[in-house]
Amino acid sequence: MINALLRLFGCVSGKGENETVNRNKCASFATGTGIVLNLLLFAAKLTAGILAASVAVISDAFNNASDAGSSLVALIGFKMAAKAGDKEHPLGHGRMEYVTGFIVDMLVIFVGAELIKTSVQSIITPELPSASALTVCFLCFSILAKTWLFVFYKKVGKKIESVALQGAAIDSVSDVVATSVVLISALCGKYLGWKIDGVAGLLVACFILFSGLKAAKETVDLLLGAPPKKEFIDDIYSFVKNYPEVLGIHDVIVHDYGPGRTMVSFHAEVSAEDNINYAHEAVDKLEEDMHKKFGCLVTVHMDPIVINDEHVNELREFVARTAKEVDDSFTVHDFRMTYGKERKNLIFDLCVPMESKCSLAEAQSAVADKIHNARPDCYAVIRAEHPLI
């Protein structure tokens, strides 16, 4: 049914410019559907809540109203994010999708806080709601509608790789749980005479507040620069292995400027003995092929390394082994060797994971000391750094 709806509204697959147009159509259709459905649920629940004098049902109704507002803000965000780059924003406006997502999160938090206040008042002065058959029907319909909306958002969000829609899918699941709590409260009040309406409203409000805070953190992480998914990095490393001229890569950096606007840069090690023009041609092809494969802008820096000198290879392995002896998580790259008057200079980068107990200075000092003690004829010139992925 969902696929049929997407085809009906012109949300078909495409490449290049058509892919961007398709993404915007899907996003507009999804957020528009969310606005209409949530407004209908808000009107139905508000009517039922007023008739039943239930603060829990009314709280759940305003939760749907906030969802409709969230969908409207998300729709505006998609429209703004789709704008092409300009002089002030040469990489486009893709991050507006994250900015509006944060605004939506703040609205959800505000609604949750207000509903907590109302629910606490209901707990202090409890009243027994009169849950009619109409109220129960509205709540059951809401559970079914929100379950469908979860599947809908999840499918479309995955199709266009939208963080906003995937977050909306999670919010729909939260709504299913919240409405189920309200339904149970209404039934308990009707058949058991339990005055737990305020408690149910408080649970719903806390659930809304928690969801808003969680979503806000995730959105802020994206704005600040969250690390890319491990699967994406693994795919990059696997893809590069198809190019025999590239011996290895490091210093991989992923810049996220919004959905569909990702930049990737890394250093590619090539043999120092290779023709520089051939190596450059291979790297150019790698950049073009990665752009086609991953849909991102790619910049590759070439690092020539010596691979046919047994003495250099022996010392490279010695340095890598020594770094592992200091900390098994340490890795070495960009190894070069120069001959001085009285010693060999071993020049390399030391990669220290963020979670390491050693600071960069401590790691650099420990590896250098171990190298000097083992090989007095060598001097380590180290640049310690944290990985950026």
Side-chain angles (χ1 to χ4, degrees), residues 361-384:
E362 291 170 343
Q364 179 175 316
S365 177
V367 173
D369 289 345
K370 198 170 184 65
I371 289 174
H372 298 159
N373 291 334
R375 296 290 298 260
D377 61 324
C378 295
Y379 180 76
V381 181
I382 305 173
R383 185 182 72 172

Side-chain angles (χ1 to χ4, degrees), residues 28 31 35 69-82 96-97 100:
S28 298
T31 50
I35 292 171
S70 299
S71 296
L72 177 60
V73 174
L75 176 60
I76 296 172
F78 279 120
K79 295 294 185 183
M80 297 178 70
M96 280 304 301
E97 187 172 325
T100 53

